[in-house]
Amino acid sequence: MIKDGLLVPQDVKHLNAEASQELRIHSIESFGTHDGPGIRMVVFVQGCQFRCLYCANPDTMDVKGGHFVEIEELVNRAVKQKPYFRKNGGVTVSGGEPLLQRSVLKKFFNRLHEEDIHTVLDSNGRLIDQQAKELLDVTDLLMLDVKHFNNAWHKKLTGLSNTNTFKVAEYRESTGKPMWLRYVLVPGWSDQEEHLHELGKYFKDYRHIERLEILPYHRLGVHKWEALGMEYKLKNVAPPDAQKLEDVALIFKNYFKDVRVN
Ligand code: SF4
């Protein structure tokens, strides 16, 4: 069911069937170097309820798209790649939004741990319930995408509220396990100084945020929007220049010990 252009919960229920041993995925990248520490196998899951205007992978949004793959098949593939992971690599699950498939991902991460493989979850923090907490508990590193501090701007950018994202951060902090924050910098949309400072102040006392990564907005996904017949609303927005990135990094450095541009 579509309400206000967005999917309502019953549409995504099927993604989280507890008995399932299969993940609905979009694609797999074998040697990713941008999604977590070291060299990683990156599994892009299918399905997302956000509608970020800049989404580089709009073909991952459809919760009924993609294809299914058995967890054990993914584990076997990761085990084969393990020599390349060396000390700090491993497996990252990105998307799409992984929390929509939290039950099956918990099983996947538990299996990876049995094989001594490091796990990263790259999430927009869409939801937080008992199953989401259990997945976070078996996630070695959470990369939490905070799209905007201001809720009205967050809704403009993503279609949904940021309330749960902050709840996910709060839960993660309470467990004492590491997280990185990721912030997509979109000129004119997510670069307002006052909101960057607000974000910094909000998180400055969190002890388990190891790093803040600034992800410069780019237009690499535009052709996918066109191919899907969807309107790309940021046509006139240019990626941030070096000066803008430096300015924003300087602001965040007031609040976070490790700030990087990815
Ligand atoms: S959260 Fe990620 S996958 Fe979902 S719409 Fe936004 S950028 Fe795309």
Side-chain angles (χ1 to χ4, degrees), residues 110-127:
N110 277 330
R111 278 291 293 119
L112 290 171
H113 284 160
E114 282 169 21
E115 305 294 342
D116 201 20
I117 293 173
H118 182 265
T119 57
V120 169
L121 192 75
D122 177 17
S123 169
N124 63 25
R126 169 71 185 114
L127 58 91

Side-chain angles (χ1 to χ4, degrees), residues 48 50-52 55 60-61 95-96 124 147:
C48 183
F50 278 21
R51 293 291 178 264
C52 302
C55 183
T60 65
M61 289 177 184
N124 63 25
K147 312 283 188 181

Side-chain angles (χ1 to χ4, degrees), residues 45 47-61 94-98 122-126 145 147 157-158 184 225:
V45 294
C48 183
Q49 294 168 300
F50 278 21
R51 293 291 178 264
C52 302
L53 298 180
Y54 50 75
C55 183
N57 298 306
D59 44 342
T60 65
M61 289 177 184
S94 182
E97 174 43 48
D122 177 17
S123 169
N124 63 25
R126 169 71 185 114
D145 303 298
K147 312 283 188 181
L157 257 182
T158 72
V184 180
W225 285 73

Side-chain angles (χ1 to χ4, degrees), residues 125 127-128 133 136-137 142 144 146 162-177 179 181 202-203 205-209:
L127 58 91
I128 181 82
K133 289 178 180 173
L136 291 170
D137 291 348
L142 170 67
L144 185 64
V146 181
N162 59 13
T163 311
N164 285 344
T165 307
F166 290 107
K167 286 188 186 159
V168 168
E170 193 182 349
Y171 177 72
R172 184 67 176 180
E173 173 73 5
S174 77
T175 63
K177 288 167 150 283
M179 80 182 123
L181 298 186
Y202 183 89
F203 284 117
D205 295 326
Y206 272 55
R207 293 175 51 227
H208 303 289
I209 296 175

Side-chain angles (χ1 to χ4, degrees), residues 4 20 31 41 49 131 144 150-151 160 164 183 205 209 220 222 238:
D4 302 331
S20 177
F31 301 103
M41 177 175 125
Q49 294 168 300
Q131 291 172 324
L144 185 64
N150 176 274
N151 204 19
L160 287 171
N164 285 344
Y183 192 82
D205 295 326
I209 296 175
L220 298 178
V222 179

